[in-house]
Amino acid sequence: MPTVRSLIARSPIDPYLLLLIGTVGLAILLPARGTAQPLAESAVTVAVGLLFFLYGARCRPQRSGRGFRIGDCNRWCSPAPS
């Protein structure tokens, strides 16, 4: 029997996109209500902040500074080579 990981690896769709679609589906089926809502909102805020921080950590500081000066951060802040 194939595992979920092997099914995702063989899928023509990007695994990140599959996880994003799964997360949206889960939120539709099980929305946070009542006392869990403030906790869910805080968790989402922290997760989005962490996502932006980790994405920014991949960018060289010189490139992000140059991008801010020119006003085109997306072009200059491409991921740094590993």
Side-chain angles (χ1 to χ4, degrees):
M1 175 179 240
T3 63
V4 173
R5 188 174 293 221
S6 67
L7 289 174
I8 290 174
R10 287 188 284 158
S11 172
I13 301 174
D14 182 46
Y16 181 77
L17 187 59
L18 286 174
L19 288 172
L20 185 63
I21 292 169
T23 302
V24 170
L26 184 65
I28 289 171
L29 293 175
L30 301 170
R33 293 189 180 150
T35 57
Q37 186 174 358
L39 179 65
E41 288 176 359
S42 297
V44 167
T45 301
V46 169
V48 169
L50 186 62
L51 177 70
F52 276 99
F53 172 75
L54 292 175
Y55 183 76
R58 293 177 49 192
C59 183
R60 294 186 207 155
Q62 299 86 2
R63 297 185 109 192
S64 58
R66 188 181 323 152
F68 280 117
R69 282 192 299 277
I70 307 174
D72 188 10
C73 290
N74 289 332
R75 192 177 94 203
W76 289 106
C77 225
S78 58
S82 43

